[in-house]
Amino acid sequence: MTIDSSSKKPMHLQIREDLLQKIRSGFYKENQLIPKEIELAESYGVSRPTIRQSIQALVNEGYLQRKKRKGTIVQRRKINQEFTHIIESYTTEMDRKGLDPKTTVMAFKTEPASEEVAENLEIKEGENVQKLIRLRFAQEDPIVLVTTYLPAKQLKDLMDVDFSKQQLYSALAKQGYPVRSVKRKLEVLKAGETVGALLDIDADDPIFYFHTIGYSDQHIPVEYSISKYRGDLNSFVFEISNTTQDNP
């Protein structure tokens, strides 16, 4: 690439854009070392500090990773999940990020509620719930395994819904139980063999483990979900507001 010295855009930004284009096009492939700073400086006709600034920007954005005694490699970029502070379907969020979402329904059946499920749905233990297990993808990568429990007494016609295509919250709204608020708890655990195989990771790799309760009008719980996200492909955004008038 020839740097346009007449451009108002700084050279380090022009180089960043060129490197990013090469990463996205596959010219620099995942886990591949990019050329050394001195080689890039000669190629672009700029100083090493300028190259270092371009590379650092891509490191900060998650496209590159510096490895001690090795160099700088192209890394698989994590998907920034924002559901921690907004209520939005997985499909809608992936579409908004320009990723191709896909859902595989692993199971959908009726079973008695366990003590944990009953407590979170505020129903009696042993009362029937509908158990929905979905494996969700972005592009071709499995991203999250979601097990959802729904109170069968309130929601009678969901067994006919194709949840590989239909969004859960949309289906709940059609039943007269739109999800108005959610409560989530996050843990970081190790993947077991079954979850690891489904998510295409090794057993004992870290996973983000979310418990979610979805509430409808009058704060009625209509969903209890356990979501297991791959640790290597996901990061999460938490938005926190200062509710006090004075700054800390």
Side-chain angles (χ1 to χ4, degrees):
M1 172 188 175
T2 301
I3 297 298
D4 183 0
S5 57
S6 65
S7 173
K8 293 182 180 180
K9 184 175 292 186
M11 285 188 288
H12 71 89
L13 291 181
Q14 294 184 54
I15 295 169
R16 173 206 163 276
E17 289 177 359
D18 187 63
L19 291 173
L20 180 56
Q21 188 278 326
K22 288 177 178 175
I23 291 170
R24 286 176 168 169
S25 69
F27 182 84
Y28 294 138
K29 295 179 172 57
E30 185 181 321
N31 294 322
Q32 177 185 342
L33 285 167
I34 67 170
K36 295 179 180 179
E37 287 182 4
I38 191 169
E39 296 172 1
L40 290 172
E42 291 175 359
S43 174
Y44 286 106
V46 298
S47 66
R48 286 184 66 179
T50 299
I51 291 295
R52 194 171 297 122
Q53 194 173 1
S54 304
I55 290 175
Q56 187 59 50
L58 292 172
V59 169
N60 294 342
E61 294 167 33
Y63 292 101
L64 296 175
Q65 182 181 16
R66 297 186 188 274
K67 293 280 190 178
K68 287 184 178 179
R69 296 184 293 277
K70 286 187 178 181
T72 304
I73 65 168
V74 178
Q75 70 172 359
R76 185 182 292 189
R77 197 174 184 223
K78 292 190 175 185
I79 300 170
N80 214 12
Q81 304 284 358
E82 298 164 0
F83 71 81
T84 52
H85 65 272
I86 56 175
I87 299 176
E88 185 176 48
S89 75
Y90 178 86
T91 299
T92 300
E93 183 174 8
M94 293 303 104
D95 282 339
R96 180 165 52 80
K97 295 179 186 299
L99 300 171
D100 182 25
K102 184 179 74 172
T103 297
T104 298
V105 176
M106 310 294 293
F108 193 20
K109 60 183 180 179
T110 300
E111 67 179 33
S114 66
E115 180 180 0
E116 175 191 351
V117 171
E119 180 180 351
N120 284 282
L121 287 178
E122 298 178 13
I123 60 177
K124 294 180 180 179
E125 185 177 350
E127 191 172 315
N128 279 349
V129 292
Q130 295 166 351
K131 181 179 181 180
L132 172 64
I133 304 175
R134 293 168 293 168
L135 183 60
R136 318 203 74 170
F137 297 78
Q139 308 299 89
E140 298 302 316
D141 293 316
I143 297 299
V144 56
L145 179 67
V146 187
T147 301
T148 299
Y149 299 91
L150 306 155
K153 187 176 180 180
Q154 296 164 237
L155 306 166
K156 300 183 182 300
D157 300 319
L158 290 182
M159 298 301 291
D160 297 326
V161 176
D162 181 0
F163 282 108
S164 66
K165 300 175 182 177
Q166 178 75 44
Q167 297 176 17
L168 174 62
Y169 282 8
S170 175
L172 292 177
K174 289 178 181 178
Q175 289 265 323
Y177 291 96
V179 173
R180 303 295 190 189
S181 63
V182 297
K183 180 170 68 174
R184 292 193 170 103
K185 181 178 77 171
L186 168 64
E187 299 176 274
V188 179
L189 302 175
K190 292 181 179 180
E193 289 187 7
T194 301
V195 171
L198 289 171
L199 292 178
D200 196 23
I201 57 177
D202 293 331
D204 291 334
D205 276 1
I207 57 172
F208 295 104
Y209 195 93
F210 278 91
H211 300 258
T212 299
I213 306 173
Y215 297 94
S216 189
D217 296 315
Q218 285 79 52
H219 206 63
I220 298 172
V222 291
E223 169 216 10
Y224 174 54
S225 292
I226 300 168
S227 304
K228 300 169 184 176
Y229 283 83
R230 287 176 61 161
D232 62 332
L233 289 186
N234 294 282
S235 62
F236 297 89
V237 176
F238 294 85
E239 187 172 288
I240 301 171
S241 299
N242 183 1
T243 58
T244 65
Q245 295 299 316
D246 298 327
N247 290 326

